[in-house]
Amino acid sequence: MPDIHGLLRASFEFDIERKECGDGLRLASGEPMEPIAGDFTGGAYFLCAEKGGRRAMVFASSEGAGALIADDLAGALEIIIGLAWQDCLGFSGGGDLEVMQTSAQHLETRRIKTNPEIAEDRARVAAALSLCVLPVPDLVIRLHAAASRTEPEYVVTDDRGLFGPPFGEYSEPRHGGWR
């Protein structure tokens, strides 16, 4: 059996040993959040209170952005392993689904170039955790739908104020575009 924790950490920046990254963060609604993992830049993944038998997953970046990723852990992990989701949100043209689709395709091409084993890593994680490997366009639709529901229930805050919206204003990298 492959080292799933190692694959999640190395290939998908989902490190279950980095649970301290989100200290002091909470939902503006007052609902509790449970930190379950962190990424390489100090961002944190949280499971929210159970609703209807499911616990939504929220991400809070170290740069002050927050977003609902999915309605449950499995859905969030499918997005995390299947999509360069943070950059897809960042290069969304303010939340435009078509821009996100274009960005996601460019990001996937770049991801494959920098990590030729990414498809194999996805398949291993998906098989070990009983997840689906979905096409990038489908994952973008799911991510867009979840992130669009961030407000008002899943807005992240800390002692300094509310975290910013999940969608970035740019449609591609500023210097050089998608080359």
Side-chain angles (χ1 to χ4, degrees):
M1 176 171 216
D3 174 19
I4 300 307
H5 172 252
L7 284 175
L8 282 169
R9 182 184 60 245
S11 294
F12 308 107
E13 296 188 35
F14 186 86
D15 189 350
I16 60 174
E17 292 180 1
R18 294 184 67 135
K19 295 179 187 175
E20 76 288 341
C21 291
D23 287 345
L25 301 182
R26 60 189 178 281
L27 290 177
S29 66
E31 292 288 323
M33 296 191 310
E34 175 188 351
I36 62 163
D39 73 359
F40 296 165
T41 64
Y45 294 92
F46 298 92
L47 285 176
C48 299
E50 185 176 327
K51 292 183 182 174
R54 301 171 95 180
R55 294 182 71 190
M57 183 180 284
V58 170
F59 179 80
S61 77
S62 59
E63 290 83 34
L68 174 66
I69 302 173
D71 292 326
D72 59 25
L73 178 59
L77 286 171
E78 288 171 354
I79 288 170
I80 291 165
I81 68 169
L83 185 65
W85 71 272
Q86 289 185 58
D87 288 334
C88 187
L89 285 175
F91 297 114
S92 68
D96 183 303
L97 181 57
E98 190 174 317
V99 171
M100 285 179 70
Q101 291 288 5
T102 300
S103 295
Q105 292 304 321
H106 288 289
L107 291 161
E108 183 63 14
T109 299
R110 182 181 295 166
R111 202 173 192 190
I112 291 168
K113 284 181 184 177
T114 60
N115 183 358
E117 296 84 31
I118 194 75
E120 187 177 309
D121 292 350
R122 275 187 192 122
R124 285 183 182 161
V125 170
L129 300 179
S130 299
L131 302 172
C132 296
V133 175
L134 299 170
V136 168
D138 294 350
L139 292 170
V140 172
I141 290 168
R142 288 173 48 181
L143 176 62
H144 182 268
S148 295
R149 295 191 329 270
T150 297
E151 290 186 40
E153 196 172 349
Y154 297 103
V155 174
V156 177
T157 188
D158 63 11
D159 293 334
R160 295 170 294 187
L162 300 178
F163 273 48
F167 298 111
E169 62 183 87
Y170 300 107
S171 56
E172 62 183 41
R174 291 180 280 176
H175 303 289
W178 288 118
R179 285 189 248 163

PDB file of all heavy atoms in Angstrom, residues 17-40:
ATOM      1  N   GLU A  17      -0.269  16.594   9.342  1.00  0.00           N
ATOM      2  CA  GLU A  17       0.561  16.889  10.511  1.00  0.00           C
ATOM      3  C   GLU A  17       0.688  18.390  10.760  1.00  0.00           C
ATOM      4  O   GLU A  17       1.305  18.801  11.734  1.00  0.00           O
ATOM      5  CB  GLU A  17       1.947  16.253  10.348  1.00  0.00           C
ATOM      6  CG  GLU A  17       1.880  14.738  10.401  1.00  0.00           C
ATOM      7  CD  GLU A  17       3.229  14.086  10.244  1.00  0.00           C
ATOM      8  OE1 GLU A  17       4.251  14.798  10.116  1.00  0.00           O
ATOM      9  OE2 GLU A  17       3.264  12.851  10.241  1.00  0.00           O
ATOM     10  N   ARG A  18       0.097  19.220   9.899  1.00  0.00           N
ATOM     11  CA  ARG A  18       0.183  20.682  10.040  1.00  0.00           C
ATOM     12  C   ARG A  18      -1.162  21.251  10.489  1.00  0.00           C
ATOM     13  O   ARG A  18      -1.692  22.157   9.885  1.00  0.00           O
ATOM     14  CB  ARG A  18       0.593  21.311   8.714  1.00  0.00           C
ATOM     15  CG  ARG A  18       1.997  20.931   8.288  1.00  0.00           C
ATOM     16  CD  ARG A  18       2.352  21.660   7.037  1.00  0.00           C
ATOM     17  NE  ARG A  18       2.450  23.070   7.357  1.00  0.00           N
ATOM     18  CZ  ARG A  18       3.415  23.854   6.947  1.00  0.00           C
ATOM     19  NH1 ARG A  18       4.352  23.384   6.187  1.00  0.00           N
ATOM     20  NH2 ARG A  18       3.430  25.126   7.268  1.00  0.00           N
ATOM     21  N   LYS A  19      -1.676  20.765  11.568  1.00  0.00           N
ATOM     22  CA  LYS A  19      -2.986  21.202  12.058  1.00  0.00           C
ATOM     23  C   LYS A  19      -2.939  22.508  12.839  1.00  0.00           C
ATOM     24  O   LYS A  19      -3.961  23.114  13.105  1.00  0.00           O
ATOM     25  CB  LYS A  19      -3.610  20.110  12.929  1.00  0.00           C
ATOM     26  CG  LYS A  19      -3.924  18.867  12.155  1.00  0.00           C
ATOM     27  CD  LYS A  19      -4.505  17.803  13.046  1.00  0.00           C
ATOM     28  CE  LYS A  19      -4.660  16.520  12.276  1.00  0.00           C
ATOM     29  NZ  LYS A  19      -5.103  15.438  13.096  1.00  0.00           N
ATOM     30  N   GLU A  20      -1.752  22.972  13.200  1.00  0.00           N
ATOM     31  CA  GLU A  20      -1.631  24.200  13.988  1.00  0.00           C
ATOM     32  C   GLU A  20      -1.703  25.453  13.125  1.00  0.00           C
ATOM     33  O   GLU A  20      -1.748  26.562  13.641  1.00  0.00           O
ATOM     34  CB  GLU A  20      -0.321  24.194  14.772  1.00  0.00           C
ATOM     35  CG  GLU A  20       0.926  24.495  13.954  1.00  0.00           C
ATOM     36  CD  GLU A  20       1.372  23.389  12.997  1.00  0.00           C
ATOM     37  OE1 GLU A  20       0.974  22.220  13.165  1.00  0.00           O
ATOM     38  OE2 GLU A  20       2.117  23.703  12.065  1.00  0.00           O
ATOM     39  N   CYS A  21      -1.721  25.290  11.803  1.00  0.00           N
ATOM     40  CA  CYS A  21      -1.683  26.449  10.895  1.00  0.00           C
ATOM     41  C   CYS A  21      -2.850  27.406  11.091  1.00  0.00           C
ATOM     42  O   CYS A  21      -2.713  28.591  10.856  1.00  0.00           O
ATOM     43  CB  CYS A  21      -1.657  25.989   9.442  1.00  0.00           C
ATOM     44  SG  CYS A  21      -0.125  25.178   8.986  1.00  0.00           S
ATOM     45  N   GLY A  22      -3.987  26.923  11.506  1.00  0.00           N
ATOM     46  CA  GLY A  22      -5.166  27.774  11.584  1.00  0.00           C
ATOM     47  C   GLY A  22      -5.504  28.292  12.963  1.00  0.00           C
ATOM     48  O   GLY A  22      -6.656  28.630  13.238  1.00  0.00           O
ATOM     49  N   ASP A  23      -4.524  28.396  13.836  1.00  0.00           N
ATOM     50  CA  ASP A  23      -4.787  28.887  15.189  1.00  0.00           C
ATOM     51  C   ASP A  23      -5.437  30.269  15.154  1.00  0.00           C
ATOM     52  O   ASP A  23      -5.001  31.157  14.426  1.00  0.00           O
ATOM     53  CB  ASP A  23      -3.495  28.966  16.005  1.00  0.00           C
ATOM     54  CG  ASP A  23      -2.974  27.595  16.412  1.00  0.00           C
ATOM     55  OD1 ASP A  23      -3.731  26.610  16.309  1.00  0.00           O
ATOM     56  OD2 ASP A  23      -1.806  27.516  16.820  1.00  0.00           O
ATOM     57  N   GLY A  24      -6.497  30.434  15.930  1.00  0.00           N
ATOM     58  CA  GLY A  24      -7.166  31.723  16.046  1.00  0.00           C
ATOM     59  C   GLY A  24      -8.218  31.994  14.984  1.00  0.00           C
ATOM     60  O   GLY A  24      -8.869  33.036  15.021  1.00  0.00           O
ATOM     61  N   LEU A  25      -8.389  31.072  14.038  1.00  0.00           N
ATOM     62  CA  LEU A  25      -9.397  31.271  13.000  1.00  0.00           C
ATOM     63  C   LEU A  25     -10.722  30.643  13.413  1.00  0.00           C
ATOM     64  O   LEU A  25     -10.756  29.659  14.129  1.00  0.00           O
ATOM     65  CB  LEU A  25      -8.933  30.661  11.674  1.00  0.00           C
ATOM     66  CG  LEU A  25      -7.631  31.209  11.102  1.00  0.00           C
ATOM     67  CD1 LEU A  25      -7.325  30.543   9.776  1.00  0.00           C
ATOM     68  CD2 LEU A  25      -7.703  32.711  10.940  1.00  0.00           C
ATOM     69  N   ARG A  26     -11.800  31.249  12.915  1.00  0.00           N
ATOM     70  CA  ARG A  26     -13.143  30.748  13.209  1.00  0.00           C
ATOM     71  C   ARG A  26     -14.081  31.200  12.099  1.00  0.00           C
ATOM     72  O   ARG A  26     -13.727  32.033  11.279  1.00  0.00           O
ATOM     73  CB  ARG A  26     -13.622  31.250  14.570  1.00  0.00           C
ATOM     74  CG  ARG A  26     -13.688  32.762  14.665  1.00  0.00           C
ATOM     75  CD  ARG A  26     -13.947  33.230  16.105  1.00  0.00           C
ATOM     76  NE  ARG A  26     -13.957  34.671  16.201  1.00  0.00           N
ATOM     77  CZ  ARG A  26     -12.902  35.453  16.238  1.00  0.00           C
ATOM     78  NH1 ARG A  26     -11.699  34.926  16.183  1.00  0.00           N
ATOM     79  NH2 ARG A  26     -13.012  36.753  16.320  1.00  0.00           N
ATOM     80  N   LEU A  27     -15.270  30.665  12.089  1.00  0.00           N
ATOM     81  CA  LEU A  27     -16.284  31.116  11.141  1.00  0.00           C
ATOM     82  C   LEU A  27     -16.963  32.356  11.705  1.00  0.00           C
ATOM     83  O   LEU A  27     -17.231  32.436  12.910  1.00  0.00           O
ATOM     84  CB  LEU A  27     -17.315  30.023  10.875  1.00  0.00           C
ATOM     85  CG  LEU A  27     -16.821  28.825  10.077  1.00  0.00           C
ATOM     86  CD1 LEU A  27     -17.928  27.788   9.941  1.00  0.00           C
ATOM     87  CD2 LEU A  27     -16.314  29.240   8.705  1.00  0.00           C
ATOM     88  N   ALA A  28     -17.251  33.319  10.843  1.00  0.00           N
ATOM     89  CA  ALA A  28     -17.939  34.538  11.271  1.00  0.00           C
ATOM     90  C   ALA A  28     -19.312  34.221  11.846  1.00  0.00           C
ATOM     91  O   ALA A  28     -19.810  34.953  12.703  1.00  0.00           O
ATOM     92  CB  ALA A  28     -18.064  35.509  10.101  1.00  0.00           C
ATOM     93  N   SER A  29     -19.916  33.113  11.435  1.00  0.00           N
ATOM     94  CA  SER A  29     -21.233  32.706  11.928  1.00  0.00           C
ATOM     95  C   SER A  29     -21.181  32.222  13.376  1.00  0.00           C
ATOM     96  O   SER A  29     -22.213  32.064  14.014  1.00  0.00           O
ATOM     97  CB  SER A  29     -21.798  31.579  11.053  1.00  0.00           C
ATOM     98  OG  SER A  29     -20.993  30.404  11.199  1.00  0.00           O
ATOM     99  N   GLY A  30     -19.977  31.960  13.874  1.00  0.00           N
ATOM    100  CA  GLY A  30     -19.827  31.441  15.227  1.00  0.00           C
ATOM    101  C   GLY A  30     -19.777  29.925  15.278  1.00  0.00           C
ATOM    102  O   GLY A  30     -19.485  29.347  16.326  1.00  0.00           O
ATOM    103  N   GLU A  31     -20.043  29.282  14.163  1.00  0.00           N
ATOM    104  CA  GLU A  31     -19.990  27.815  14.112  1.00  0.00           C
ATOM    105  C   GLU A  31     -18.546  27.354  14.302  1.00  0.00           C
ATOM    106  O   GLU A  31     -17.609  28.011  13.831  1.00  0.00           O
ATOM    107  CB  GLU A  31     -20.517  27.316  12.766  1.00  0.00           C
ATOM    108  CG  GLU A  31     -21.999  27.540  12.555  1.00  0.00           C
ATOM    109  CD  GLU A  31     -22.862  26.621  13.391  1.00  0.00           C
ATOM    110  OE1 GLU A  31     -22.501  25.444  13.576  1.00  0.00           O
ATOM    111  OE2 GLU A  31     -23.908  27.095  13.878  1.00  0.00           O
ATOM    112  N   PRO A  32     -18.368  26.207  14.951  1.00  0.00           N
ATOM    113  CA  PRO A  32     -17.002  25.721  15.187  1.00  0.00           C
ATOM    114  C   PRO A  32     -16.355  25.162  13.918  1.00  0.00           C
ATOM    115  O   PRO A  32     -17.045  24.737  12.995  1.00  0.00           O
ATOM    116  CB  PRO A  32     -17.204  24.615  16.220  1.00  0.00           C
ATOM    117  CG  PRO A  32     -18.602  24.147  16.024  1.00  0.00           C
ATOM    118  CD  PRO A  32     -19.385  25.347  15.569  1.00  0.00           C
ATOM    119  N   MET A  33     -15.028  25.195  13.904  1.00  0.00           N
ATOM    120  CA  MET A  33     -14.230  24.582  12.843  1.00  0.00           C
ATOM    121  C   MET A  33     -13.162  23.720  13.498  1.00  0.00           C
ATOM    122  O   MET A  33     -12.599  24.097  14.512  1.00  0.00           O
ATOM    123  CB  MET A  33     -13.530  25.638  11.983  1.00  0.00           C
ATOM    124  CG  MET A  33     -14.423  26.551  11.207  1.00  0.00           C
ATOM    125  SD  MET A  33     -13.528  27.549   9.970  1.00  0.00           S
ATOM    126  CE  MET A  33     -12.171  28.277  10.871  1.00  0.00           C
ATOM    127  N   GLU A  34     -12.876  22.597  12.877  1.00  0.00           N
ATOM    128  CA  GLU A  34     -11.836  21.688  13.359  1.00  0.00           C
ATOM    129  C   GLU A  34     -10.694  21.653  12.345  1.00  0.00           C
ATOM    130  O   GLU A  34     -10.897  21.220  11.212  1.00  0.00           O
ATOM    131  CB  GLU A  34     -12.408  20.283  13.534  1.00  0.00           C
ATOM    132  CG  GLU A  34     -11.393  19.255  13.915  1.00  0.00           C
ATOM    133  CD  GLU A  34     -11.941  17.841  13.889  1.00  0.00           C
ATOM    134  OE1 GLU A  34     -13.154  17.653  13.733  1.00  0.00           O
ATOM    135  OE2 GLU A  34     -11.127  16.915  14.018  1.00  0.00           O
ATOM    136  N   PRO A  35      -9.490  22.094  12.739  1.00  0.00           N
ATOM    137  CA  PRO A  35      -8.373  22.026  11.796  1.00  0.00           C
ATOM    138  C   PRO A  35      -7.990  20.572  11.544  1.00  0.00           C
ATOM    139  O   PRO A  35      -7.872  19.784  12.482  1.00  0.00           O
ATOM    140  CB  PRO A  35      -7.250  22.790  12.501  1.00  0.00           C
ATOM    141  CG  PRO A  35      -7.596  22.752  13.946  1.00  0.00           C
ATOM    142  CD  PRO A  35      -9.091  22.641  14.032  1.00  0.00           C
ATOM    143  N   ILE A  36      -7.819  20.222  10.261  1.00  0.00           N
ATOM    144  CA  ILE A  36      -7.463  18.836   9.952  1.00  0.00           C
ATOM    145  C   ILE A  36      -6.171  18.721   9.147  1.00  0.00           C
ATOM    146  O   ILE A  36      -5.596  17.640   9.084  1.00  0.00           O
ATOM    147  CB  ILE A  36      -8.597  18.088   9.220  1.00  0.00           C
ATOM    148  CG1 ILE A  36      -8.910  18.740   7.890  1.00  0.00           C
ATOM    149  CG2 ILE A  36      -9.827  17.986  10.096  1.00  0.00           C
ATOM    150  CD1 ILE A  36      -9.699  17.850   6.959  1.00  0.00           C
ATOM    151  N   ALA A  37      -5.725  19.819   8.520  1.00  0.00           N
ATOM    152  CA  ALA A  37      -4.492  19.764   7.727  1.00  0.00           C
ATOM    153  C   ALA A  37      -4.042  21.185   7.407  1.00  0.00           C
ATOM    154  O   ALA A  37      -4.800  22.138   7.575  1.00  0.00           O
ATOM    155  CB  ALA A  37      -4.723  18.979   6.439  1.00  0.00           C
ATOM    156  N   GLY A  38      -2.811  21.276   6.922  1.00  0.00           N
ATOM    157  CA  GLY A  38      -2.281  22.548   6.466  1.00  0.00           C
ATOM    158  C   GLY A  38      -1.594  22.376   5.125  1.00  0.00           C
ATOM    159  O   GLY A  38      -1.362  21.248   4.684  1.00  0.00           O
ATOM    160  N   ASP A  39      -1.288  23.492   4.479  1.00  0.00           N
ATOM    161  CA  ASP A  39      -0.538  23.422   3.232  1.00  0.00           C
ATOM    162  C   ASP A  39       0.866  23.977   3.453  1.00  0.00           C
ATOM    163  O   ASP A  39       1.227  24.333   4.570  1.00  0.00           O
ATOM    164  CB  ASP A  39      -1.283  24.122   2.091  1.00  0.00           C
ATOM    165  CG  ASP A  39      -1.274  25.642   2.177  1.00  0.00           C
ATOM    166  OD1 ASP A  39      -0.708  26.210   3.137  1.00  0.00           O
ATOM    167  OD2 ASP A  39      -1.840  26.278   1.279  1.00  0.00           O
ATOM    168  N   PHE A  40       1.662  24.063   2.398  1.00  0.00           N
ATOM    169  CA  PHE A  40       3.063  24.469   2.516  1.00  0.00           C
ATOM    170  C   PHE A  40       3.237  25.939   2.842  1.00  0.00           C
ATOM    171  O   PHE A  40       4.305  26.360   3.270  1.00  0.00           O
ATOM    172  CB  PHE A  40       3.818  24.173   1.231  1.00  0.00           C
ATOM    173  CG  PHE A  40       3.908  22.705   0.882  1.00  0.00           C
ATOM    174  CD1 PHE A  40       4.293  22.324  -0.383  1.00  0.00           C
ATOM    175  CD2 PHE A  40       3.608  21.720   1.788  1.00  0.00           C
ATOM    176  CE1 PHE A  40       4.385  20.996  -0.728  1.00  0.00           C
ATOM    177  CE2 PHE A  40       3.688  20.383   1.463  1.00  0.00           C
ATOM    178  CZ  PHE A  40       4.089  20.021   0.191  1.00  0.00           C
TER     179      PHE A  40
END
